[in-house]
Amino acid sequence: MTYSGTRAAMLPLKDGDKPVVRKLLSSGCCARCVLRFCCISVQAAYRKPPQETLEELRAFIGNTENGKSQQSASDSHDAAGSEPPGEPPMKRAKLEPVEPGAAVGGDASAVVKVEEEESSVCVACLGILQELSGPTQAVKIAERVKEGEYEFDTLVLSVSLPAQLCVREHSCWLHVKKELREKSAALAKDDVIPVKEAFKWIMQGLVAKELGGVAVVIRSLFEVSVEFTHPETEADCHFLASTCASCFKPTKNKQSVFTRMAVVKALEKISDAVFLKHYAFPPPRPSSSCVPQDVKCLHTSIFIAGRYNKFCRSLPQTPWVIDGERRMESSVEELIAAPVLLSFRAAGFNFSSSGREDVDVRTLGNGRPFAMELLNPHRSKLSREEMKHLQETINKSSDKIRVRDLQIVSREAMGRMKEGEEAKTKSYTALVWTQKAIQSQDIAFIDGIKDLTLDQKTPLRVLHRRPLAVRQRVVHRMITRYLDPHHFHLELKTQAGTYIKEFVHGDFGRTKPNMSVLLKMDTDILELDVESVDVDWPPSIPE
Amino acid sequence: MDGVEQRDTEATAPSVIDRYYTRWFRADMKGKPCEDHCILQHSNRLCVITLAETHPILQDGRAIKNINYQISNCCSRLNNKVSGKSKRGGQFLTDFAPLCRITCTDETEYTIYSCIRGRLLEVNESILETPTLLLEKPSTEGYIAVILPKFEESKRITENLLSREEFETVVSKRIVAQSQPS
C-alpha cells in the first residue's frame, strides 16, 4: 500500500513520510510545518484551515492499525534511545503504561495529545503559520494599506521573521534527516519549504482579495512589510556566539548582533554534532506566539527634475543652520519642496543640483538644473496638466525663486545632472570695483583675452571644509561694460568649477592670474549673477 | 544691478577683509618692541597671519634681503603638507611657534610667529619669489601663513589677542611715550 487512507490521498504524502509526521507532531510542530518538512510544494495545501490539515495528518499516521505490529518492531528500534526524557507529550501520554519502545500511536494517548496540540504554539514557526496567517490577518494588513491611501498597481509582500526561527528550523531538519537516513532516504535542507514561503503562499492571495484583486507579485514599486518578533525565544541563538564567534561581530549601531544573516551563516558552519550538543530536539515549546509588528508600507522613490531661478540675494540654496539655530530664513530647496511634497504626499526629500550658487548670488537665464528624490510618495503618477499646475503653485508661492521644466524623471537621470557639474560651461555677470579711477579704454583689452587659464588654490572661504589643492580652470571669454571711474560690469564664460569671486579679487593672491593683476590695481567684486548653466538637461517643457 | 556713487579719486569700499574677516592683533610679540602681528580671522574660523602695519619691517623704507621658512635644522615650514578635508599632516603650532625668519638689507633680523594655536595649512611662497609683496601688500598678497585652529578651540583663540580698538590704544600709548622728553 503506497498511500495510507483515503483522506491522506489529498495530500501527496508517502509511506516513508509517516515517521517524520509522527515525530514532528509529537514534538510540537503544527500541521503546516509538518507539510513543510515533508517537502509538500502544493500551495493549496497550506491554504486549508490548519485544523483540517491536522486531522488529515492524524488520519494518515493513524492508519497504521493494520500494519501496526509490523511497524512497532521496526519503530522500537527508532524510539529506543531517541528523544530526551524531558519531552512533555510523551510524559503526559502515559495515562496507560506505554511499553518501552512502543510506537507513538494508539487511541488513548492520541486523545490526550489532541488537546495538547490544539492549544500549543508550534515549536518551529512560533505561531506564524498558525493563527498569524489567515483571513483575519489579511484583513488587518489590507486595512493598514488602505489607511495609507497609496497609489499603486501592484504590491510585493515581504515578511521579516525572528532570527531564532533558523535555529529551530535547523534543529527540526537535523532530526527529520536522521529519521529518514535510517530509512535510506535523503532530505536536503533546500527541499524543506521555508516558513517565509509558506506564509506568502497563504497570505498573498488573501491580501490581494482584500485589496480588490490587486496583483501581489515578486517585484513591485510598492512594498508591504510584515514583521514578527518573539522576545521570549531570542536567547535561542545565543549559543552560536560561542561556537562561531567570527560570525557575530558587534556593529556600530547598538542593535542586536544576532541578525538573521549572521545566524544563517553560523548555522552553515556549525557541525551537526556540535549543534545537537547545544540545542535540544524538540525545541522548547514557547508559551506565546510571535508578536506581529506594525505593517509598514513603502513606495519606492520618485524623482522630479527641473531648472530653478533665484532672484534674491539673501536666500541660501539649502537651509542655513548653525548650532541648531537657523541663520537665514528659508532656502531654495525648501521653497521648491513644500508644494511638491504635498502633491506627491511624500515623507521627505533629497535635493541636488548641477552646482550651487552663494547666498548673495542670483541665478538668471534658463536657471540651474536640479533634481529631487521624493521619499515614500503616496502618489506616484501626475499627469502633464497636474505637473504644470504644481509648477505654477511653486512659482506663485514666492517671488524669490522660479521653477521651469518640472517633470518626473528616472533614478538614472540624477547621474546626468551631476555630469553637467564638472563638464559644462557657465556664464556670469559681475559688478567689479576698482581702487584706481579708470576709463573705458583701460579695460577694453580684457575683451580680447580668450581661454585664460587660472591656477586657483582652494579659496580661503571654503578651505575649512575642502581639501587644499590647486585647480586649473579656464575663463573662455570676457566682455566688459564700463559704468563709471570705479565700476564696470564684467561678463564671463568659464569652465565649470571656476571660482568667480576669487578671480576678481585675487583671494590674497592665491588665484593667479586675477583681475587685480590684469588691471594692476586692487579690485573687488560687489555683485555676481549666474547668467546660464550650460547643461542641456532636463529636457525643456514648452510652456 | 544697483546704482553706485561716482567718485574720481581713489575710493574706499568695504574690502574683502572688511566683509569676511575680523582683525585681531598681538603687540610686541615675545617682548620685542613693536613687532606687531595682525591675525585675520575668517567667519569660517580660518586665520591668516600677517604683519601689522606698525611692524619694524614695514618702517623706515627697509628692503628685504631674505625670507627663510627653515626655522630649525629639522623643520621647514615649506615641507608642510596637508591632505584631505581634515587637513591631516599639517604641522601643529602653538602661539610662539616661529613661522619664518626675515632678514632685511640693513642686517636687522625678525622672526614672525604663529600667534595662535592651530594646524598650519600653508605658508605664502609668493613672498619668496617677490619679497616686495610683503612690503607693499602686507595685509593681502603679502600674508605669511594660513592656520586652522581646532574646532573646539576656535572661539577661545581670541582670548589672548587684542581687538582693533585695544590695539589702537596700545599704539597710541607708544606714540605718547615716544614723544615725551626722556
Side-chain angles (χ1 to χ4, degrees):
Chain A
M1 182 167 57
T2 327
Y3 290 97
S4 12
T6 40
R7 287 186 86 189
M10 290 163 65
L11 291 168
L13 289 166
K14 305 177 287 292
D15 255 0
D17 295 324
K18 279 190 198 166
V20 173
V21 174
R22 244 180 245 127
K23 186 143 195 174
L24 291 176
L25 281 180
S26 65
S27 311
C29 272
C30 70
R32 285 167 173 168
C33 283
V34 173
L35 294 185
R36 294 191 302 108
F37 282 98
C38 294
C39 310
I40 305 291
S41 56
V42 176
Q43 298 189 18
Y46 296 84
R47 295 183 188 134
K48 284 197 279 212
Q51 187 51 35
E52 221 179 279
T53 311
L54 180 60
E55 281 163 18
E56 281 181 34
L57 287 174
R58 282 214 197 101
F60 171 65
I61 53 170
N63 282 355
T64 55
E65 302 294 355
N66 300 340
K68 188 175 171 186
S69 47
Q70 290 159 347
Q71 289 256 332
S72 60
S74 48
D75 284 345
S76 63
H77 175 70
D78 299 333
S82 55
E83 285 86 50
E87 194 186 39
M90 291 291 278
K91 272 190 177 161
R92 288 283 193 96
K94 283 171 189 161
L95 283 182
E96 291 176 85
V98 178
E99 297 163 36
V104 173
D107 303 331
S109 49
V111 170
V112 176
K113 282 173 66 211
V114 165
E115 286 164 17
E116 273 279 316
E117 282 153 19
E118 266 167 24
S119 58
S120 61
V121 177
C122 173
V123 297
C125 69
L126 298 176
I128 288 171
L129 297 180
Q130 295 175 285
E131 71 252 21
L132 290 174
S133 50
T136 324
Q137 285 59 41
V139 167
K140 282 196 187 137
I141 293 172
E143 289 291 296
R144 288 285 296 163
V145 173
K146 285 180 201 163
E147 269 169 38
E149 288 179 32
Y150 280 88
E151 201 178 75
F152 57 93
D153 298 324
T154 60
L155 72 87
V156 62
L157 183 67
S158 71
V159 56
S160 170
L161 304 174
Q164 58 271 33
L165 237 59
C166 305
V167 174
R168 289 169 167 262
E169 188 86 350
H170 196 84
S171 168
C172 294
W173 172 63
L174 283 183
H175 280 81
V176 169
K177 199 171 67 156
K178 189 173 88 154
E179 195 74 34
L180 290 178
R181 190 167 41 235
E182 287 158 9
K183 310 273 185 224
S184 331
L187 178 67
K189 203 172 190 188
D190 285 347
D191 294 335
V192 173
I193 310 296
V195 175
K196 212 179 247 198
E197 206 161 334
F199 180 84
K200 287 185 185 180
W201 286 345
I202 300 166
M203 295 304 285
Q204 278 170 345
L206 294 173
V207 171
K209 202 180 84 180
E210 288 300 320
L211 291 173
V214 72
V216 180
V217 291
I218 302 176
R219 221 178 255 159
S220 170
L221 299 175
F222 183 56
E223 181 187 11
V224 178
S225 307
V226 174
E227 189 190 350
F228 295 103
T229 58
H230 201 249
E232 189 193 317
T233 55
E234 260 163 35
D236 276 12
C237 23
H238 289 184
F239 73 91
L240 289 170
S242 57
T243 60
C244 181
S246 63
C247 292
F248 300 98
K249 292 199 180 96
T251 53
K252 276 186 225 159
N253 338 325
K254 278 135 194 197
Q255 280 168 2
S256 171
V257 87
F258 294 102
T259 59
R260 207 180 159 77
M261 274 196 67
V263 170
V264 166
K265 207 168 167 192
L267 289 173
E268 277 168 18
K269 284 187 176 177
I270 196 174
S271 74
D272 292 358
V274 175
F275 182 90
L276 291 171
K277 209 170 65 177
H278 283 88
Y279 200 77
F281 180 83
R285 266 184 210 272
S287 60
S288 60
S289 283
C290 278
V291 181
Q293 302 299 295
D294 276 344
V295 172
K296 291 196 182 79
C297 299
L298 180 68
H299 196 290
T300 197
S301 293
I302 291 286
F303 295 85
I304 301 289
R307 300 179 84 107
Y308 72 82
N309 287 105
K310 175 156 114 59
F311 301 123
C312 176
R313 291 197 190 280
S314 56
L315 184 70
Q317 199 207 48
T318 52
W320 196 332
V321 178
I322 298 178
D323 298 332
E325 226 182 270
R326 187 181 272 271
R327 291 302 162 93
M328 270 215 152
E329 219 184 279
S330 197
S331 60
V332 172
E333 74 170 34
E334 284 167 296
L335 289 175
I336 297 177
V340 173
L341 287 181
L342 272 178
S343 287
F344 284 88
R345 287 187 280 125
F349 67 96
N350 286 326
F351 184 94
S352 60
S353 59
S354 181
R356 256 196 317 208
E357 61 285 308
D358 289 341
V359 173
D360 58 352
V361 174
R362 295 187 305 181
T363 307
L364 310 175
N366 259 358
R368 185 184 296 279
F370 72 90
M372 280 176 68
E373 178 183 2
L374 302 179
L375 305 172
N376 200 9
H378 290 231
R379 271 200 80 180
S380 51
K381 294 194 197 115
L382 256 66
S383 68
R384 213 138 197 220
E385 278 308 305
E386 288 172 307
M387 287 302 284
K388 264 209 173 103
H389 181 74
L390 174 57
Q391 186 172 289
E392 271 167 41
T393 307
I394 298 171
N395 291 337
K396 283 204 196 103
S397 73
S398 168
D399 56 3
K400 295 180 180 175
I401 57 151
R402 194 200 155 182
V403 165
R404 73 180 74 214
D405 304 329
L406 197 67
Q407 57 198 272
I408 297 178
V409 296
S410 69
R411 185 185 282 269
E412 288 68 44
M414 303 282 274
R416 288 287 321 271
M417 180 192 65
K418 284 301 184 184
E419 252 172 47
E421 195 164 328
E422 285 299 301
K424 308 290 184 168
T425 58
K426 310 207 167 142
S427 303
Y428 303 86
T429 302
L431 175 59
V432 182
W433 168 87
T434 59
Q435 187 207 16
K436 297 194 191 134
I438 53 164
Q439 292 173 315
S440 57
Q441 48 262 49
D442 298 327
I443 54 174
F445 74 97
I446 292 175
D447 293 36
I449 302 175
K450 300 280 180 249
D451 296 324
L452 176 66
T453 303
L454 311 176
D455 286 319
Q456 297 200 286
K457 276 197 193 166
T458 310
L460 290 176
R461 66 184 165 98
V462 299
L463 185 53
H464 64 296
R465 58 180 165 84
R466 296 254 178 90
L468 177 62
V470 182
R471 293 172 191 88
Q472 287 206 325
R473 289 291 184 263
V474 179
V475 178
H476 295 295
R477 64 152 204 272
M478 292 180 276
I479 300 172
T480 55
R481 290 194 322 251
Y482 181 84
L483 254 182
D484 67 50
H486 289 284
H487 302 90
F488 66 94
H489 279 126
L490 177 67
E491 290 172 24
L492 316 94
K493 185 166 173 178
T494 72
Q495 186 183 356
T498 309
Y499 286 95
I500 307 299
K501 292 178 178 176
E502 277 69 18
F503 169 62
V504 174
H505 64 60
D507 189 35
F508 291 77
R510 297 166 74 258
T511 287
K512 292 180 201 154
N514 57 66
M515 193 51 66
S516 299
V517 163
L518 292 174
L519 291 179
K520 298 190 179 58
M521 65 182 77
D522 283 353
T523 52
D524 199 357
I525 180 169
L526 299 184
E527 283 175 1
L528 180 61
D529 289 338
V530 178
E531 297 291 353
S532 72
V533 176
D534 306 323
V535 177
D536 56 9
W537 182 92
S540 69
I541 309 251
E543 308 250 325
Chain B
M1 290 181 168
D2 316 340
V4 289
E5 279 178 22
Q6 301 212 8
R7 274 209 193 158
D8 223 0
T9 52
E10 282 182 18
T12 47
S15 65
V16 172
I17 295 178
D18 294 326
R19 289 204 299 275
Y20 300 113
Y21 296 83
T22 308
R23 288 182 172 84
W24 297 95
F25 295 85
R26 265 198 113 131
D28 310 312
M29 198 61 188
K30 271 210 159 174
K32 297 184 194 158
C34 296
E35 287 190 28
D36 307 328
H37 294 51
C38 176
I39 300 100
L40 300 172
Q41 184 192 40
H42 194 282
S43 49
N44 68 16
R45 87 182 194 275
L46 269 168
C47 292
V48 184
I49 311 302
T50 67
L51 296 181
E53 276 169 23
T54 47
H55 198 285
I57 294 177
L58 304 175
Q59 315 306 321
D60 307 325
R62 282 194 173 87
I64 294 179
K65 188 166 109 175
N66 175 256
I67 300 176
N68 194 355
Y69 281 111
Q70 182 94 33
I71 51 148
S72 72
N73 281 345
C74 44
C75 180
S76 166
R77 298 303 181 199
L78 291 175
N79 292 339
N80 193 65
K81 292 257 179 306
V82 294
S83 62
K85 263 189 225 176
S86 40
K87 321 297 184 294
R88 266 182 248 279
Q91 295 164 7
F92 194 82
L93 306 171
T94 52
D95 300 41
F96 297 108
L99 289 172
C100 64
R101 294 192 214 288
I102 299 179
T103 313
C104 297
T105 47
D106 64 357
E107 299 308 315
T108 48
E109 223 188 73
Y110 304 92
T111 304
I112 314 301
Y113 296 95
S114 164
C115 301
I116 56 164
R117 277 171 60 88
R119 209 186 276 276
L120 178 65
L121 297 191
E122 68 179 44
V123 291
N124 189 355
E125 295 186 29
S126 306
I127 56 177
L128 292 178
E129 298 156 28
T130 320
T132 44
L133 277 176
L134 182 52
L135 299 172
E136 286 161 22
K137 302 260 173 74
S139 299
T140 52
E141 279 117 297
Y143 74 98
I144 306 292
V146 179
I147 298 176
L148 178 65
K150 281 193 194 181
F151 188 75
E152 316 82 65
E153 292 178 12
S154 50
K155 298 218 171 95
R156 286 191 299 129
I157 55 156
T158 55
E159 278 166 14
N160 291 335
L161 303 175
L162 300 170
S163 69
R164 194 173 202 175
E165 292 87 26
E166 288 166 347
F167 178 68
E168 275 163 15
T169 312
V170 167
V171 170
S172 49
K173 283 201 186 130
R174 276 185 204 155
I175 294 170
V176 167
Q178 277 170 7
S179 65
Q180 269 170 6
S182 43

